[in-house]
Amino acid sequence: MVYVPVPMSWVPQVTRARPSVRGWRTLADEVLAAAEQSGERAAAAYARTALGGAAYRRGDIDGCLAHGQAALEYFRSVADHSRQARLHNLMAVALGDRGWHAEQKQHLYRAYELRTLAGNVRSQAVVLANLGELHNATGQYATARSELERAFDLVDAVRDPSFGLHCHHHLGCAYAGLGDDRLAAEQYHRALRLARQLGDHYLTGHTLRGLAALERKSGDAGRAELLLREALLAYRTSRDRQEIAQTLAELAVLRDGVAVGTAFVELGGLSA
């Protein structure tokens, strides 16, 4: 097959179209193949960026990392800080799914440096919030708290409720990890209001489980059970099988194993 040079006018068709649109992946693959054959490095990098994101969404982590790294090399060569940061962030998310937290952290720190160079304040805050979430997951609660508080300093969470939801929830996790239950509950309640307002069932469930853990710790098992049942309803709405199973397991602990059998029924019903 003979390829002709790829006009940059093709690129928006790949980068702006929805990956769910029929024929999108074929178009992206064709643009990439033509661009690489004709030496159009910019077009190839844009196509790889789009394909890397699509690979992540369908669970192809290796494909995501391969496309991301190849695109990153081009955007480094032209000093495009914004696109480098996006790719570092994408690859950090993919590495996090693999549980490779050290590599994930490196990409997030580099993304933060690049966002700072580009002067994009909101994007700096988002990367800080992602770092806070990562440090919560690895038990570094004081570091997580510091990063999330810095993120709040950069962005007005009242004007950006989706960002506020993310930060309030993870700040609650950080305070809970540090043993400050009063501040943890305060952050969780703020997150819960925003999650319900935005219709985010996943974080509604997560935040309710965080509050349930605080109630269980305080000795109020009845209140903890009510909160877990609310969380279960949120996860059922979003049909998140893994979180449903986890919540049922937590209920089982509270109720001496009564809910254990229910977990298998729930999962069987969802997979039918």
Side-chain angles (χ1 to χ4, degrees):
M1 183 180 293
V2 177
Y3 291 98
V4 297
V6 179
M8 286 302 291
S9 60
W10 284 23
V11 174
Q13 297 180 59
V14 175
T15 57
R16 295 177 189 168
R18 289 176 175 269
S20 58
V21 172
R22 192 173 186 178
W24 178 89
R25 190 175 171 192
T26 300
L27 172 63
D29 285 332
E30 287 177 354
V31 169
L32 175 60
E36 290 187 334
Q37 286 290 328
S38 62
E40 293 283 345
R41 295 181 63 217
Y46 279 98
R48 282 194 178 278
T49 300
L51 285 166
Y56 175 75
R57 285 187 289 273
R58 66 174 183 271
D60 179 6
I61 303 301
D62 288 333
C64 171
L65 294 172
H67 282 304
Q69 188 59 48
L72 192 57
E73 290 173 7
Y74 169 76
F75 290 121
R76 279 176 182 156
S77 72
V78 296
D80 187 329
H81 300 315
S82 179
R83 295 197 181 277
Q84 286 180 68
R86 290 182 190 179
L87 285 162
H88 277 295
N89 200 60
L90 171 65
M91 294 169 73
V93 173
L95 288 163
D97 284 0
R98 281 272 172 89
W100 296 351
H101 296 308
E103 294 86 349
Q104 180 186 16
K105 190 183 299 186
Q106 290 174 4
H107 280 282
L108 286 173
Y109 277 132
R110 184 56 182 152
Y112 180 73
E113 292 170 358
L114 290 162
R115 290 303 192 189
T116 302
L117 286 172
N120 190 324
V121 174
R122 187 187 186 282
S123 293
Q124 290 176 56
V126 168
V127 177
L128 282 171
N130 289 339
L131 279 165
E133 181 179 356
L134 168 61
H135 284 125
N136 271 337
T138 55
Q140 297 168 277
Y141 300 116
T143 302
R145 178 189 60 191
S146 175
E147 287 161 343
L148 290 159
E149 288 175 345
R150 285 165 58 202
F152 269 130
D153 288 340
L154 292 174
V155 172
D156 183 352
V158 174
R159 296 184 180 180
D160 194 339
S162 62
F163 173 79
L165 165 58
H166 184 93
C167 284
H168 283 305
H169 172 77
H170 291 293
L171 196 51
C173 295
Y175 281 126
L178 291 168
D180 194 330
D181 294 351
R182 181 184 64 82
L183 288 177
E186 183 179 299
Q187 293 298 325
Y188 280 145
H189 281 297
R190 290 177 181 176
L192 187 58
R193 284 194 295 271
L194 287 171
R196 285 171 169 164
Q197 174 187 323
L198 296 169
D200 189 322
H201 302 296
Y202 180 79
L203 277 180
T204 294
H206 262 34
T207 305
L208 286 164
R209 280 168 62 193
L211 286 167
L214 296 179
E215 295 291 352
R216 187 165 59 244
K217 181 180 176 183
S218 73
D220 192 341
R223 177 63 180 156
E225 181 175 348
L226 288 174
L227 289 165
L228 285 174
R229 290 196 173 282
E230 283 190 65
L232 190 58
L233 180 60
Y235 291 136
R236 281 173 173 163
T237 302
S238 60
R239 298 183 68 79
D240 192 319
R241 299 175 73 249
Q242 182 176 344
E243 300 303 337
I244 287 171
Q246 182 61 40
T247 307
L248 286 166
E250 291 173 18
L251 277 166
V253 172
L254 286 175
R255 303 184 63 206
D256 298 322
V258 172
V260 172
T262 311
F264 294 102
V265 175
E266 186 76 35
L267 292 174
L270 283 174
S271 61

